Amino acid sequence: MLRSTGLGATKTTDFCESKHRDFTPAALGSGQSFAASCINGGNADFSDIRKIGLDDIIGEERVGNFANQLVAGIRILDLKIDSSLVQNLIANQFPDLCSLPVMPIKKQGHDNRTFRLGDELTVRLPSHPLYADAVQKEAIALEALNGQLSVEIPKIFGLGKPSKEYQLPWSIRHWLAGETLEDTQVCDKSSLARSFGEVLVELQSVPADIFLSAGKHSFYRGCHPSVYSDEVIESLRRMGDPTKKKQCLEIWQRGMMSAWSNAPVWFHGDLAVGNVLMKGETISALIDFGTCGVGDPACDLTIAWTYFDAMTRQHFREAAKVDDNTWSRAKAWALWKALVSINGLSGPDTEGVQARALGEIINDDC
């Protein structure tokens, strides 16, 4: 049973909501509007993407940083999130838990700040207003997915409401033991790849007609990757290596040639190595469903290039039962993330993860 302090229900929206951005070549200045950023029913025409050329990308600068557009018009709160704040929130809204010690976890994520609350609970607070809507949405998702997968997922203990001291919703969850895949040395990556693919098939098989369709709440994960075409174009414009630029453009174009035409399915939205928990060499849990939803599952396959190598990537693809078109869109999603990180349109690639992923993407013939 979910404990709540009064947050309202989340409104269900249409597939990819109303996010229709001018897609290339309009974004490149050809004057043609190609509003196919999020596919509704898989009926959009992608033929105009063939008109993109390297000359268009090298030309006039057109910065389309979607993250900056999302921030526009939102009052940025000065969110000082520390143990003292968490203790005050617990005391005011969950007084029966106020005797439990509060301790920040060592490795924090970008979207949320997480604190241990005693031995069995955690407190999770959005780091920015952009991520606030995910609190209620994720609670609904986790309730719907509870017991549906062979691995664990977080369980919500209770939902906290906005207050004067912290003006966003927040949540208390049950603690899940395990090390992240990022911090785990895996010897048998082929077995892991197969297990990972099988978990994705399980996720996509959960009945999906009761939940939010992909859109703004998922940062357009589950929509068509062309939603971020402006950022890809700007990233390619900034690249100095003409050979690599041509290779990336060809990969991006292939990803634009198809759309998900099946019924929308569940996707996680952020299957990074930090959101997969391990016990030994076995996947024990998936965490952080803040960008999940229902739509095109291609966005969940990017770990094929950010973590697996050529051989294990093939095992992953086979276990996940991925067709050629979905694989091409997945590669486009991975390409977008690598390009914006490397070319300064997103957070810096300080550890070289996305640079390595770009090499895997370019050299992949899977």
Side-chain angles (χ1 to χ4, degrees):
M1 179 67 68
L2 187 69
R3 297 179 57 181
S4 174
T5 56
L7 288 176
T10 304
K11 180 179 180 292
T12 300
T13 55
D14 293 332
F15 183 48
C16 293
E17 299 184 4
S18 58
K19 176 65 177 175
H20 293 290
R21 298 168 58 76
D22 279 346
F23 179 64
T24 51
L28 292 170
S30 70
Q32 295 181 351
S33 177
F34 192 70
S37 299
C38 284
I39 307 310
N40 191 349
N43 296 320
D45 175 13
F46 291 91
S47 59
D48 281 351
I49 189 66
R50 295 183 177 89
K51 299 178 183 178
I52 300 177
L54 287 175
D55 290 342
D56 297 311
I57 293 169
I58 295 171
E60 179 184 355
E61 179 174 359
R62 293 178 176 83
V63 178
N65 192 323
F66 182 44
N68 289 341
Q69 295 173 30
L70 284 174
V71 173
I74 297 177
R75 183 169 63 91
I76 305 301
L77 306 181
D78 183 16
L79 298 181
K80 182 182 179 181
I81 303 174
D82 56 18
S83 297
S84 177
L85 170 65
V86 174
Q87 289 172 332
N88 289 337
L89 292 174
I90 294 296
N92 291 332
Q93 299 190 34
F94 296 90
D96 52 327
L97 303 178
C98 66
S99 64
L100 297 176
V102 174
M103 181 73 65
I105 64 170
K106 292 182 180 179
K107 185 172 290 187
Q108 295 285 349
H110 177 268
D111 298 359
N112 297 274
R113 301 291 177 263
T114 303
F115 297 78
R116 293 291 301 269
L117 180 62
D119 293 330
E120 299 181 359
L121 299 173
T122 64
V123 181
R124 180 174 160 98
L125 302 94
S127 62
H128 188 283
L130 284 174
Y131 312 120
D133 287 346
V135 175
Q136 178 75 8
K137 187 278 290 283
E138 189 174 8
I140 297 171
L142 294 174
E143 189 82 13
L145 293 170
N146 184 33
Q148 300 289 329
L149 304 178
S150 61
V151 298
E152 292 186 281
I153 61 173
K155 292 183 179 180
I156 304 294
F157 175 86
L159 296 178
K161 63 182 179 181
S163 60
K164 288 184 178 180
E165 53 192 343
Y166 180 75
Q167 298 152 32
L168 302 176
W170 50 283
S171 65
I172 301 175
R173 297 147 182 261
H174 295 274
W175 172 254
L176 288 174
E179 296 293 328
T180 66
L181 178 56
E182 182 178 19
D183 294 330
T184 301
Q185 292 293 327
V186 177
C187 296
D188 188 357
K189 285 193 176 182
S190 292
S191 178
L192 174 63
R194 295 186 188 97
S195 298
F196 210 127
E198 290 166 0
V199 170
L200 289 186
V201 171
E202 291 177 0
L203 178 62
Q204 294 164 21
S205 300
V206 177
D209 58 345
I210 60 172
F211 195 62
L212 288 177
S213 297
K216 185 177 180 181
H217 70 90
S218 64
F219 288 82
Y220 303 99
R221 287 359 179 244
C223 291
H224 196 271
S226 61
V227 70
Y228 288 110
S229 61
D230 50 359
E231 293 189 357
V232 170
I233 294 162
E234 172 59 19
S235 296
L236 293 177
R237 192 197 66 80
R238 295 184 184 190
M239 287 182 71
D241 185 334
T243 300
K244 186 175 292 186
K245 182 181 297 187
K246 183 176 183 295
Q247 292 170 321
C248 290
L249 175 60
E250 291 172 350
I251 293 168
W252 182 252
Q253 287 177 321
R254 284 196 295 274
M256 301 300 101
M257 295 300 171
S258 68
W260 182 252
S261 58
N262 298 325
V265 297
W266 277 96
F267 61 87
H268 178 281
D270 190 16
L271 282 178
V273 292
N275 292 332
V276 180
L277 295 186
M278 306 287 291
K279 289 183 178 178
E281 296 203 355
T282 301
I283 299 174
S284 61
L286 301 181
I287 61 175
D288 195 354
F289 282 74
T291 53
C292 75
V294 169
D296 179 357
C299 61
D300 274 353
L301 303 170
T302 58
I303 200 166
W305 298 277
T306 58
Y307 181 77
F308 294 116
D309 58 20
M311 182 182 70
T312 55
R313 183 160 50 243
Q314 181 61 35
H315 296 320
F316 171 70
R317 179 180 178 179
E318 290 171 355
K321 302 178 181 179
V322 183
D323 62 83
D324 289 346
N325 287 334
T326 301
W327 194 250
S328 292
R329 293 193 307 280
K331 192 179 292 188
W333 274 110
L335 178 68
W336 160 71
K337 184 63 175 179
L339 288 177
V340 297
S341 299
I342 294 169
N343 292 287
L345 273 71
S346 182
D349 185 29
T350 54
E351 298 182 3
V353 173
Q354 295 302 330
R356 290 191 294 272
L358 183 60
E360 293 289 336
I361 292 165
I362 291 174
N363 296 320
D364 178 35
D365 57 2
C366 181

